[in-house]
Amino acid sequence: MTGMLDMDIIDISTLTHVVPPLATTLAALPALPIAGINWHSVLFLLFAGLACGFAIAVVAADNVVRMALYLVFSLGATAGLFFLAGAEFIGAMQLMIYVGGTLVLLVFGVMLTAQAPLVSIKPSSSDRTLTAVAGASLLSLLLTAAFSVDAWRGPGVGVVPAPSATPLGMALVGVRVDEPPAGTPVGGRVGYMLPFEIVSVHLLVVLVGAAYLARAKRRRTPRPIDALASAMPVETVATAAPVATMAPTGRSAGGAKSALVGGGR
Amino acid sequence: MMGLVLATASVASLAPCLATIPLFAVNPFTEPVGVVHYLIVGAVLFTAGIACMTLKRNALGILMGIELVLNGANINFVAFASPYLRAEGAPTLGLDGQVVALFVILLAAAEAAVALAITLNFYNNHATVDVDRADDLKG
Amino acid sequence: MAEFLIGLGLPGWVAWSIAALVAAVLLLNVIAGGALVFIWAERKIAARIQDRLGPTRTGGRFGWLQSLADGIKLLAKEDLMPEGADGLLFRLAPYVSFCASFCAFIALPFAFDVVGQRLNVGVFFVVAVLGLEVFGVILAGYASASKWSLFGAMREAAQVVSYEVPLGMCVVVPVMLAGTMDLVTIGEKQAGWMSSWYLFHDPFTFIIFWVYVTCAVASVNRAPFDLAEAESELVAGFHTEYSGLRWSFFFMAEYGSMFLVSGLAAVLFLGGWNGPVPVARLLGFSDGTGESAAYVVRLVGLANLMGKATLGVLFMMWIRWTLPRLRIDQVMTTCLKYCTPIAAVMFAGAMFWQLFLPGGLFPGWGRPAGEIREGWLEGPGGLPAAASPAEDRSSTVTGGDPVERAGLATRSPR
């Protein structure tokens, strides 16, 4: 029960006395190349590939909804990486806040840009080339830095860490109950009560501030978006009935208007 | 298609860099992964985020780039904090790394809320989310 | 199970793979089989509430094969996709919903130690993953190229931001009482008679349980909170354009998450696998009295939890066919203006109760000393015991391949 991930090749010879015929037929199995696989590493490769692939897909995609979808997948895979690294609480937090928050982002993306011209704003190809070059050089810089420290390079010790949720909670209220990592100078460890309080107040301020910024203001002149909506011919809405054969542009425009009108509760 | 170009360009520029580095000193299939593997993922996410921020003209796309950058940094924090990934005898951040990652997530949520409010205001005033059109203050 | 297979002489990885596969299939059966039964039950209950008979012909007297017939009909249906739809997202959406609903089952314990993956942050994980189910709904609504669907998706988004806040607050209360987020430990702390359930811990938890019920009904999009579907206003809401197998995936996700939130309520508030009367203990079965007795204990626990979760699902059906649908502004008012303050006050109340009367309303009733098994906080000195956790956590896997993840850790009883 110590771990289904770091399973070793079971020494069959010690078990042959249990069920001899079965064991002898199965004795060849551990010799397969799959037997020595470290499942933790394989899952890491899976999640790492997903995270990196979808992160690049975010850059490559033009449609804002697709971008948000890829972002959510990338962040979800990152949460998986956190779980693999033994940071369960951070992983769950990532799933809840980040992925949930990005959900709201997605919805806002849909609401704001459901008009046909705004769904995909394409950057110019020279910009793309520049970004590719700059990104590649930045990546090589970061990778060089990552590989330049010997202590980071070796394989991990693979010790499954103790659950960190309770020590984390205690640290946030200012008490450290976790084992100090090897080599930490004694007396240098602090709790995080003050940062925790600051972050709480910060969140409250942000909540109020965001509500203030995004509030519906009363204005004398109509907003450009209202002018746009009222200028939209009625037929567009009428023809954009929810039938399967409508044109994509008609769908987008009609959908946008109805969503905005319906959204103005 | 441009994604393909981007990917090939990255790989091409990385090839000499990778050749000099003992990347696969650790067999990732049979041995436990180490800190450096997490750092690679973090670097890719960070770079993708930076590219997203510089490339996208959609305000929401820029926001997504910021999220990616913060996540790349977070991966590094968690990797340095993890006793599982630590190499034999190497130091680790311990719990502090996780606490910092937690704060980063919280502050990123706050940042996203404010940025969305700004985007919403921008959209109300300009009827677009194209940041290239936000040139009112240009002389 | 894996130990048993290893004992048969299988190499470790084969044994673990088989165990994980069996666990995944079991969990899948809970969802799919549960959906079959619950759809039939829903039809019968709806019919009885509306003074009808419901299905009577298919498969004997009570029409109990009706949902199987429905399933075959759905399989045979033509799979349509609107022309203007975003193909990738349209195809992906049902699976996102279903996978989220399925993944959350991994951390839900069905009896003591009968859990897909015992997680130190189990409660948090379940709530977080359950929140992802909404994602499929919104994607479906957006990608369907239909006004009704988009409306459904928008309403769903508005609903999500309303119910997530009070739901989180309700879930935190049992966590606070138990001192852990591990669902297995939370359930185990309510061992004994009915009086040690967190529902009856103090008046505040009793009230917050009903807040949780409200939010849970909202979170699975059931009437009176089925705004995203709203068949009398939006045709069928987010799944207007879906048919056949994809639609049935949405359906299974809905019934799966109904069962899940009921199971979560059972573990958090209703004593989990501990029945109202500790039957197994009164009959002399416990972990200490031998291996077969331990299996009996687990079986009784399984029946308890399943029964409670099923009752929860039936309760939701009763609500659905009794109450009228709310408007979206009423939903947001209910969740944000009423549930959130109530939950906050009850949270504070439960906190002070725990501070001054930590034994609960019925301190020491029927809870035998030493019955609580391994809360890891109860190590020597009340501090995290360094030895036990490392052994308990079989792995730290979540997400990704469900087969790999769902190693049903039926540990050999001690």
Side-chain angles (χ1 to χ4, degrees):
Chain A
M1 209 50 218
T2 46
M4 70 186 237
L5 294 178
D6 30 353
M7 38 182 127
D8 302 313
I9 305 168
I10 300 293
D11 188 6
I12 286 295
S13 62
T14 62
L15 297 169
T16 39
H17 64 277
V18 183
V19 191
L22 188 62
T24 44
T25 50
L26 291 170
L29 277 176
L32 291 177
I34 196 177
I37 279 185
N38 184 331
W39 288 105
H40 186 282
S41 301
V42 172
L43 281 177
F44 165 78
L45 286 181
L46 178 74
F47 282 132
L50 283 178
C52 296
F54 281 118
I56 292 170
V58 172
V59 184
D62 282 323
N63 183 325
V64 68
V65 183
R66 294 255 177 119
M67 273 161 59
L69 176 73
Y70 296 148
L71 180 66
V72 165
F73 284 156
S74 180
L75 298 185
T78 311
L81 288 180
F82 289 171
F83 276 102
L84 284 182
E88 292 177 317
F89 187 74
I90 308 292
M93 202 80 170
Q94 167 100 1
L95 273 183
M96 202 161 195
I97 295 183
Y98 247 134
V99 182
T102 315
L103 182 86
V104 181
L105 199 72
L106 173 84
V107 173
F108 270 83
V110 175
M111 281 172 67
L112 293 187
T113 61
Q115 293 167 313
L118 294 184
V119 166
S120 51
I121 308 176
K122 288 190 172 60
S124 65
S125 62
S126 62
D127 279 358
R128 283 177 194 267
T129 321
L130 261 178
T131 309
V133 172
S137 41
L138 179 62
L139 186 61
S140 48
L141 183 72
L142 287 174
L143 288 185
T144 315
F147 277 105
S148 61
V149 178
D150 282 336
W152 299 345
R153 222 160 39 197
V157 287
V159 176
V160 178
S164 60
T166 308
L168 202 59
M170 298 300 276
L172 285 183
V173 294
V175 185
R176 296 298 290 264
V177 295
D178 53 316
E179 292 274 322
T184 317
V186 182
R189 283 143 49 79
V190 290
Y192 287 91
M193 182 112 190
L194 184 62
F196 182 65
E197 292 300 328
I198 292 175
V199 165
S200 332
V201 175
H202 181 268
L203 279 180
L204 182 66
V205 170
V206 162
L207 197 68
V208 175
Y212 175 77
L213 273 178
R215 77 195 191 282
K217 301 179 192 69
R218 194 181 301 151
R219 40 177 86 234
R220 257 167 272 152
T221 54
R223 297 179 304 172
I225 177 64
D226 291 337
L228 206 73
S230 56
M232 189 178 292
V234 185
E235 301 85 66
T236 325
V237 183
T239 50
V243 288
T245 54
M246 73 183 100
T249 48
R251 179 263 305 188
S252 301
K257 183 162 188 293
S258 55
L260 285 168
V261 171
R265 289 174 286 273
Chain B
M1 187 206 63
M2 280 318 289
L4 206 68
V5 172
L6 197 143
T8 45
S10 325
V11 171
S13 68
L14 282 178
C17 172
L18 289 182
T20 58
I21 289 169
L23 175 61
F24 296 109
V26 178
N27 182 350
F29 278 103
T30 52
E31 287 179 68
V33 288
V35 173
V36 76
H37 297 93
Y38 270 69
L39 294 191
I40 295 173
V41 182
V44 171
L45 254 67
F46 186 87
T47 313
I50 293 281
C52 211
M53 282 160 66
T54 51
L55 187 64
K56 301 291 180 195
R57 287 163 58 204
N58 192 327
L60 294 161
I62 294 175
L63 212 54
M64 293 176 196
I66 297 174
E67 304 289 336
L68 276 179
V69 166
L70 291 172
N71 246 275
N74 248 354
I75 288 180
N76 286 12
F77 275 122
V78 169
F80 286 135
S82 170
Y84 188 95
L85 305 171
R86 174 175 69 89
E88 197 67 51
T92 153
L93 265 185
L95 198 64
D96 300 293
Q98 290 195 27
V99 175
V100 172
L102 195 62
F103 283 142
V104 168
I105 291 179
L106 292 182
L107 292 180
E111 164 262 314
V114 173
L116 270 179
I118 292 173
T119 310
L120 195 62
N121 248 351
F122 176 55
Y123 184 69
N124 279 343
N125 290 329
H126 290 79
T128 180
V129 285
D130 185 353
V131 287
D132 285 358
R133 302 264 297 275
D135 50 3
D136 290 355
L137 292 181
K138 201 159 145 191
Chain C
M1 170 151 179
E3 286 91 345
F4 170 73
L5 289 175
I6 291 174
L8 282 184
L10 283 172
W13 63 275
V14 176
W16 282 113
S17 310
I18 292 175
L21 207 63
V22 167
V25 169
L26 274 180
L27 283 182
L28 204 58
N29 274 332
V30 169
I31 299 182
L36 278 188
V37 176
F38 287 141
I39 288 170
W40 172 78
E42 171 126 46
R43 287 177 157 230
K44 288 306 265 190
I45 289 174
R48 288 299 170 179
I49 287 177
Q50 295 170 346
D51 210 7
R52 293 185 285 119
L53 282 177
T56 52
R57 288 164 193 253
T58 323
R61 187 155 169 236
F62 300 107
W64 52 274
L65 276 183
Q66 182 64 46
S67 36
L68 200 64
D70 282 350
I72 293 170
K73 180 198 76 177
L74 280 175
L75 278 179
K77 260 191 174 178
E78 189 188 353
D79 191 20
L80 287 174
M81 187 168 74
E83 203 177 270
D86 190 332
L88 174 74
L89 301 185
F90 187 84
R91 291 198 193 91
L92 204 60
Y95 305 118
V96 171
S97 259
F98 182 75
C99 286
S101 175
F102 179 68
C103 286
F105 271 93
I106 290 165
L108 184 75
F110 287 93
F112 180 68
D113 262 3
V114 183
V115 52
Q117 174 63 51
R118 186 172 178 177
L119 277 178
N120 189 33
V121 288
V123 181
F124 211 13
F125 179 80
V126 170
V127 175
V129 173
L130 200 61
L132 299 186
E133 195 205 339
V134 182
F135 205 66
V137 171
I138 293 180
L139 278 184
Y142 172 77
S144 289
S146 157
K147 251 197 283 184
W148 309 124
S149 303
L150 193 63
F151 265 132
M154 289 299 154
R155 288 175 168 197
E156 175 70 18
Q159 194 175 322
V160 169
V161 290
S162 338
Y163 74 70
E164 283 271 334
V165 179
L167 184 71
M169 282 178 134
C170 298
V171 163
V172 158
V173 169
V175 170
M176 182 181 66
L177 297 182
T180 174
M181 284 193 282
D182 186 350
L183 278 170
V184 178
T185 314
I186 291 180
E188 197 48 40
K189 291 235 172 177
Q190 305 172 57
W193 293 77
M194 206 165 148
S195 55
S196 57
W197 292 1
Y198 282 150
L199 178 64
F200 305 117
H201 183 269
D202 55 61
F204 303 107
T205 49
F206 187 80
I207 296 175
I208 212 163
F209 171 71
W210 296 105
V211 179
Y212 172 84
V213 169
T214 312
C215 299
V217 173
S219 77
V220 293
N221 295 324
R222 298 276 300 181
F225 296 102
D226 62 342
L227 274 300
E229 202 173 320
E231 73 275 357
S232 56
E233 307 163 22
L234 298 183
V235 188
F238 64 93
H239 58 62
T240 305
E241 306 290 346
Y242 281 86
S243 73
L245 199 59
R246 288 205 186 101
W247 181 81
S248 70
F249 267 102
F250 274 125
F251 219 62
M252 274 197 278
E254 179 181 329
Y255 279 87
S257 43
M258 269 167 76
F259 193 80
L260 185 84
V261 292
S262 307
L264 192 64
V267 174
L268 289 180
F269 292 100
L270 301 178
W273 46 90
N274 304 294
V277 177
V279 184
R281 188 161 59 79
L282 291 183
L283 290 177
F285 292 111
S286 79
D287 279 6
T289 51
E291 192 160 327
S292 52
Y295 279 115
V296 170
V297 169
R298 274 158 186 73
L299 210 59
V300 172
L302 191 69
N304 267 327
L305 192 104
M306 289 291 202
K308 283 173 195 171
T310 309
L311 274 183
V313 174
L314 296 183
F315 180 76
M316 283 190 214
M317 289 174 185
W318 175 32
I319 290 184
R320 169 171 179 181
W321 296 103
T322 308
L323 295 180
R325 180 183 306 123
L326 300 176
R327 278 198 324 263
I328 182 68
D329 62 321
Q330 289 169 332
V331 170
M332 293 166 93
T333 308
T334 312
C335 287
L336 283 177
K337 284 192 187 161
Y338 293 105
C339 285
T340 308
I342 293 175
V345 170
M346 294 305 134
F347 175 74
M351 186 175 71
F352 281 114
W353 191 288
Q354 177 76 356
L355 194 62
F356 295 118
L357 290 167
L361 210 51
F362 310 100
W365 274 25
R367 182 189 295 194
E371 180 74 5
I372 316 288
R373 289 168 288 197
E374 62 163 318
W376 75 278
L377 256 182
E378 273 122 37
L383 289 183
S388 64
E391 191 147 355
D392 282 347
R393 292 157 32 91
S394 61
S395 66
T396 48
V397 200
T398 33
D401 183 8
V403 179
E404 270 309 319
R405 264 171 296 132
L408 190 71
T410 33
R411 263 187 279 166
S412 57
R414 70 218 75 131

PDB file of all heavy atoms in Angstrom, chain A residues 62-64 67 109 113 118-121, chain B residues 52 55-63 119 129-131:
ATOM      1  N   ASP A  62      -6.849  31.539 -32.261  1.00  0.00           N
ATOM      2  CA  ASP A  62      -7.325  32.899 -32.481  1.00  0.00           C
ATOM      3  C   ASP A  62      -8.697  33.137 -31.864  1.00  0.00           C
ATOM      4  O   ASP A  62      -9.005  34.237 -31.429  1.00  0.00           O
ATOM      5  CB  ASP A  62      -7.393  33.190 -33.976  1.00  0.00           C
ATOM      6  CG  ASP A  62      -6.023  33.481 -34.530  1.00  0.00           C
ATOM      7  OD1 ASP A  62      -5.235  34.114 -33.806  1.00  0.00           O
ATOM      8  OD2 ASP A  62      -5.730  33.066 -35.653  1.00  0.00           O
ATOM      9  N   ASN A  63      -9.506  32.092 -31.838  1.00  0.00           N
ATOM     10  CA  ASN A  63     -10.848  32.218 -31.286  1.00  0.00           C
ATOM     11  C   ASN A  63     -10.766  32.330 -29.763  1.00  0.00           C
ATOM     12  O   ASN A  63     -10.125  31.513 -29.105  1.00  0.00           O
ATOM     13  CB  ASN A  63     -11.651  30.969 -31.691  1.00  0.00           C
ATOM     14  CG  ASN A  63     -13.077  31.037 -31.232  1.00  0.00           C
ATOM     15  OD1 ASN A  63     -13.373  31.562 -30.178  1.00  0.00           O
ATOM     16  ND2 ASN A  63     -13.961  30.519 -32.050  1.00  0.00           N
ATOM     17  N   VAL A  64     -11.423  33.332 -29.217  1.00  0.00           N
ATOM     18  CA  VAL A  64     -11.228  33.615 -27.790  1.00  0.00           C
ATOM     19  C   VAL A  64     -11.832  32.516 -26.916  1.00  0.00           C
ATOM     20  O   VAL A  64     -11.297  32.192 -25.850  1.00  0.00           O
ATOM     21  CB  VAL A  64     -11.785  35.006 -27.443  1.00  0.00           C
ATOM     22  CG1 VAL A  64     -13.280  35.042 -27.543  1.00  0.00           C
ATOM     23  CG2 VAL A  64     -11.349  35.404 -26.056  1.00  0.00           C
ATOM     24  N   MET A  67      -9.419  29.699 -26.929  1.00  0.00           N
ATOM     25  CA  MET A  67      -8.275  30.046 -26.087  1.00  0.00           C
ATOM     26  C   MET A  67      -8.585  29.777 -24.621  1.00  0.00           C
ATOM     27  O   MET A  67      -7.783  29.180 -23.894  1.00  0.00           O
ATOM     28  CB  MET A  67      -7.918  31.524 -26.266  1.00  0.00           C
ATOM     29  CG  MET A  67      -6.988  31.825 -27.401  1.00  0.00           C
ATOM     30  SD  MET A  67      -7.068  33.550 -27.854  1.00  0.00           S
ATOM     31  CE  MET A  67      -6.623  34.318 -26.338  1.00  0.00           C
ATOM     32  N   GLY A 109     -15.737  36.361 -21.884  1.00  0.00           N
ATOM     33  CA  GLY A 109     -15.264  36.362 -23.258  1.00  0.00           C
ATOM     34  C   GLY A 109     -16.395  36.136 -24.231  1.00  0.00           C
ATOM     35  O   GLY A 109     -16.519  36.828 -25.246  1.00  0.00           O
ATOM     36  N   THR A 113     -17.567  39.235 -26.628  1.00  0.00           N
ATOM     37  CA  THR A 113     -17.073  39.147 -27.991  1.00  0.00           C
ATOM     38  C   THR A 113     -17.889  38.218 -28.850  1.00  0.00           C
ATOM     39  O   THR A 113     -17.396  37.670 -29.814  1.00  0.00           O
ATOM     40  CB  THR A 113     -15.616  38.672 -27.984  1.00  0.00           C
ATOM     41  OG1 THR A 113     -15.588  37.378 -27.388  1.00  0.00           O
ATOM     42  CG2 THR A 113     -14.748  39.592 -27.209  1.00  0.00           C
ATOM     43  N   LEU A 118     -15.410  40.252 -33.410  1.00  0.00           N
ATOM     44  CA  LEU A 118     -14.569  40.241 -32.218  1.00  0.00           C
ATOM     45  C   LEU A 118     -14.191  38.842 -31.756  1.00  0.00           C
ATOM     46  O   LEU A 118     -13.357  38.678 -30.886  1.00  0.00           O
ATOM     47  CB  LEU A 118     -15.277  40.962 -31.071  1.00  0.00           C
ATOM     48  CG  LEU A 118     -15.504  42.450 -31.265  1.00  0.00           C
ATOM     49  CD1 LEU A 118     -16.113  43.035 -30.016  1.00  0.00           C
ATOM     50  CD2 LEU A 118     -14.200  43.150 -31.578  1.00  0.00           C
ATOM     51  N   VAL A 119     -14.824  37.801 -32.327  1.00  0.00           N
ATOM     52  CA  VAL A 119     -14.551  36.453 -31.848  1.00  0.00           C
ATOM     53  C   VAL A 119     -13.091  36.110 -32.076  1.00  0.00           C
ATOM     54  O   VAL A 119     -12.405  35.586 -31.212  1.00  0.00           O
ATOM     55  CB  VAL A 119     -15.473  35.443 -32.539  1.00  0.00           C
ATOM     56  CG1 VAL A 119     -14.972  34.033 -32.319  1.00  0.00           C
ATOM     57  CG2 VAL A 119     -16.871  35.578 -31.997  1.00  0.00           C
ATOM     58  N   SER A 120     -12.601  36.423 -33.262  1.00  0.00           N
ATOM     59  CA  SER A 120     -11.181  36.185 -33.479  1.00  0.00           C
ATOM     60  C   SER A 120     -10.546  37.429 -34.070  1.00  0.00           C
ATOM     61  O   SER A 120     -10.841  37.813 -35.186  1.00  0.00           O
ATOM     62  CB  SER A 120     -10.983  34.981 -34.391  1.00  0.00           C
ATOM     63  OG  SER A 120     -11.770  35.134 -35.539  1.00  0.00           O
ATOM     64  N   ILE A 121      -9.703  38.051 -33.250  1.00  0.00           N
ATOM     65  CA  ILE A 121      -8.915  39.183 -33.735  1.00  0.00           C
ATOM     66  C   ILE A 121      -7.541  38.626 -34.049  1.00  0.00           C
ATOM     67  O   ILE A 121      -6.813  38.210 -33.163  1.00  0.00           O
ATOM     68  CB  ILE A 121      -8.816  40.279 -32.657  1.00  0.00           C
ATOM     69  CG1 ILE A 121     -10.206  40.642 -32.153  1.00  0.00           C
ATOM     70  CG2 ILE A 121      -8.118  41.483 -33.207  1.00  0.00           C
ATOM     71  CD1 ILE A 121     -10.191  41.630 -31.033  1.00  0.00           C
TER      72      ILE A 121
ATOM     73  N   CYS B  52       1.787  35.090 -25.350  1.00  0.00           N
ATOM     74  CA  CYS B  52       0.368  35.409 -25.412  1.00  0.00           C
ATOM     75  C   CYS B  52       0.149  36.898 -25.122  1.00  0.00           C
ATOM     76  O   CYS B  52      -0.610  37.574 -25.813  1.00  0.00           O
ATOM     77  CB  CYS B  52      -0.352  34.556 -24.376  1.00  0.00           C
ATOM     78  SG  CYS B  52      -2.004  34.126 -24.797  1.00  0.00           S
ATOM     79  N   LEU B  55       1.443  38.935 -28.097  1.00  0.00           N
ATOM     80  CA  LEU B  55       0.884  38.657 -29.413  1.00  0.00           C
ATOM     81  C   LEU B  55      -0.573  39.069 -29.526  1.00  0.00           C
ATOM     82  O   LEU B  55      -0.992  39.649 -30.534  1.00  0.00           O
ATOM     83  CB  LEU B  55       1.042  37.169 -29.702  1.00  0.00           C
ATOM     84  CG  LEU B  55       0.675  36.698 -31.099  1.00  0.00           C
ATOM     85  CD1 LEU B  55       1.605  37.323 -32.106  1.00  0.00           C
ATOM     86  CD2 LEU B  55       0.776  35.195 -31.172  1.00  0.00           C
ATOM     87  N   LYS B  56      -1.367  38.759 -28.506  1.00  0.00           N
ATOM     88  CA  LYS B  56      -2.816  38.891 -28.640  1.00  0.00           C
ATOM     89  C   LYS B  56      -3.232  40.356 -28.691  1.00  0.00           C
ATOM     90  O   LYS B  56      -2.684  41.194 -27.972  1.00  0.00           O
ATOM     91  CB  LYS B  56      -3.517  38.203 -27.474  1.00  0.00           C
ATOM     92  CG  LYS B  56      -3.211  36.748 -27.365  1.00  0.00           C
ATOM     93  CD  LYS B  56      -3.806  35.955 -28.492  1.00  0.00           C
ATOM     94  CE  LYS B  56      -3.461  34.500 -28.306  1.00  0.00           C
ATOM     95  NZ  LYS B  56      -3.682  33.713 -29.510  1.00  0.00           N
ATOM     96  N   ARG B  57      -4.218  40.620 -29.511  1.00  0.00           N
ATOM     97  CA  ARG B  57      -4.800  41.962 -29.510  1.00  0.00           C
ATOM     98  C   ARG B  57      -6.094  41.982 -28.712  1.00  0.00           C
ATOM     99  O   ARG B  57      -6.589  43.051 -28.347  1.00  0.00           O
ATOM    100  CB  ARG B  57      -5.067  42.401 -30.943  1.00  0.00           C
ATOM    101  CG  ARG B  57      -3.782  42.750 -31.682  1.00  0.00           C
ATOM    102  CD  ARG B  57      -4.020  42.782 -33.158  1.00  0.00           C
ATOM    103  NE  ARG B  57      -5.048  43.740 -33.516  1.00  0.00           N
ATOM    104  CZ  ARG B  57      -5.762  43.661 -34.633  1.00  0.00           C
ATOM    105  NH1 ARG B  57      -5.542  42.680 -35.476  1.00  0.00           N
ATOM    106  NH2 ARG B  57      -6.674  44.548 -34.898  1.00  0.00           N
ATOM    107  N   ASN B  58      -6.635  40.819 -28.456  1.00  0.00           N
ATOM    108  CA  ASN B  58      -7.835  40.727 -27.645  1.00  0.00           C
ATOM    109  C   ASN B  58      -7.460  40.912 -26.172  1.00  0.00           C
ATOM    110  O   ASN B  58      -6.561  40.258 -25.666  1.00  0.00           O
ATOM    111  CB  ASN B  58      -8.443  39.339 -27.863  1.00  0.00           C
ATOM    112  CG  ASN B  58      -9.828  39.234 -27.312  1.00  0.00           C
ATOM    113  OD1 ASN B  58     -10.137  39.854 -26.306  1.00  0.00           O
ATOM    114  ND2 ASN B  58     -10.661  38.471 -27.978  1.00  0.00           N
ATOM    115  N   ALA B  59      -8.157  41.816 -25.489  1.00  0.00           N
ATOM    116  CA  ALA B  59      -7.804  42.096 -24.096  1.00  0.00           C
ATOM    117  C   ALA B  59      -7.900  40.836 -23.242  1.00  0.00           C
ATOM    118  O   ALA B  59      -7.109  40.623 -22.324  1.00  0.00           O
ATOM    119  CB  ALA B  59      -8.725  43.178 -23.537  1.00  0.00           C
ATOM    120  N   LEU B  60      -8.879  39.989 -23.565  1.00  0.00           N
ATOM    121  CA  LEU B  60      -9.024  38.750 -22.787  1.00  0.00           C
ATOM    122  C   LEU B  60      -7.853  37.811 -23.030  1.00  0.00           C
ATOM    123  O   LEU B  60      -7.423  37.097 -22.127  1.00  0.00           O
ATOM    124  CB  LEU B  60     -10.333  38.071 -23.154  1.00  0.00           C
ATOM    125  CG  LEU B  60     -11.554  38.858 -22.740  1.00  0.00           C
ATOM    126  CD1 LEU B  60     -12.766  38.410 -23.507  1.00  0.00           C
ATOM    127  CD2 LEU B  60     -11.775  38.711 -21.265  1.00  0.00           C
ATOM    128  N   GLY B  61      -7.325  37.838 -24.259  1.00  0.00           N
ATOM    129  CA  GLY B  61      -6.167  37.005 -24.553  1.00  0.00           C
ATOM    130  C   GLY B  61      -4.968  37.431 -23.726  1.00  0.00           C
ATOM    131  O   GLY B  61      -4.205  36.589 -23.238  1.00  0.00           O
ATOM    132  N   ILE B  62      -4.797  38.742 -23.571  1.00  0.00           N
ATOM    133  CA  ILE B  62      -3.686  39.240 -22.751  1.00  0.00           C
ATOM    134  C   ILE B  62      -3.848  38.771 -21.314  1.00  0.00           C
ATOM    135  O   ILE B  62      -2.884  38.341 -20.659  1.00  0.00           O
ATOM    136  CB  ILE B  62      -3.638  40.769 -22.833  1.00  0.00           C
ATOM    137  CG1 ILE B  62      -3.293  41.175 -24.257  1.00  0.00           C
ATOM    138  CG2 ILE B  62      -2.652  41.341 -21.856  1.00  0.00           C
ATOM    139  CD1 ILE B  62      -3.336  42.637 -24.495  1.00  0.00           C
ATOM    140  N   LEU B  63      -5.091  38.808 -20.848  1.00  0.00           N
ATOM    141  CA  LEU B  63      -5.380  38.339 -19.493  1.00  0.00           C
ATOM    142  C   LEU B  63      -4.996  36.875 -19.337  1.00  0.00           C
ATOM    143  O   LEU B  63      -4.401  36.469 -18.334  1.00  0.00           O
ATOM    144  CB  LEU B  63      -6.877  38.513 -19.250  1.00  0.00           C
ATOM    145  CG  LEU B  63      -7.317  38.829 -17.854  1.00  0.00           C
ATOM    146  CD1 LEU B  63      -6.566  40.035 -17.370  1.00  0.00           C
ATOM    147  CD2 LEU B  63      -8.797  39.086 -17.838  1.00  0.00           C
ATOM    148  N   THR B 119     -11.616  45.598 -18.511  1.00  0.00           N
ATOM    149  CA  THR B 119     -11.978  45.197 -19.873  1.00  0.00           C
ATOM    150  C   THR B 119     -13.442  45.516 -20.168  1.00  0.00           C
ATOM    151  O   THR B 119     -13.782  45.992 -21.244  1.00  0.00           O
ATOM    152  CB  THR B 119     -11.727  43.686 -20.048  1.00  0.00           C
ATOM    153  OG1 THR B 119     -10.423  43.382 -19.606  1.00  0.00           O
ATOM    154  CG2 THR B 119     -11.891  43.276 -21.478  1.00  0.00           C
ATOM    155  N   VAL B 129     -12.909  44.917 -27.904  1.00  0.00           N
ATOM    156  CA  VAL B 129     -11.925  44.481 -26.919  1.00  0.00           C
ATOM    157  C   VAL B 129     -10.535  44.437 -27.545  1.00  0.00           C
ATOM    158  O   VAL B 129      -9.623  43.865 -26.984  1.00  0.00           O
ATOM    159  CB  VAL B 129     -12.264  43.088 -26.348  1.00  0.00           C
ATOM    160  CG1 VAL B 129     -13.405  43.182 -25.368  1.00  0.00           C
ATOM    161  CG2 VAL B 129     -12.572  42.116 -27.445  1.00  0.00           C
ATOM    162  N   ASP B 130     -10.405  45.065 -28.708  1.00  0.00           N
ATOM    163  CA  ASP B 130      -9.114  45.118 -29.385  1.00  0.00           C
ATOM    164  C   ASP B 130      -8.262  46.198 -28.725  1.00  0.00           C
ATOM    165  O   ASP B 130      -8.589  47.386 -28.801  1.00  0.00           O
ATOM    166  CB  ASP B 130      -9.336  45.423 -30.868  1.00  0.00           C
ATOM    167  CG  ASP B 130      -8.048  45.368 -31.644  1.00  0.00           C
ATOM    168  OD1 ASP B 130      -6.991  45.224 -31.006  1.00  0.00           O
ATOM    169  OD2 ASP B 130      -8.104  45.474 -32.873  1.00  0.00           O
ATOM    170  N   VAL B 131      -7.161  45.784 -28.089  1.00  0.00           N
ATOM    171  CA  VAL B 131      -6.386  46.777 -27.339  1.00  0.00           C
ATOM    172  C   VAL B 131      -5.669  47.761 -28.269  1.00  0.00           C
ATOM    173  O   VAL B 131      -5.261  48.829 -27.843  1.00  0.00           O
ATOM    174  CB  VAL B 131      -5.365  46.104 -26.408  1.00  0.00           C
ATOM    175  CG1 VAL B 131      -6.056  45.486 -25.235  1.00  0.00           C
ATOM    176  CG2 VAL B 131      -4.552  45.090 -27.153  1.00  0.00           C
TER     177      VAL B 131
END
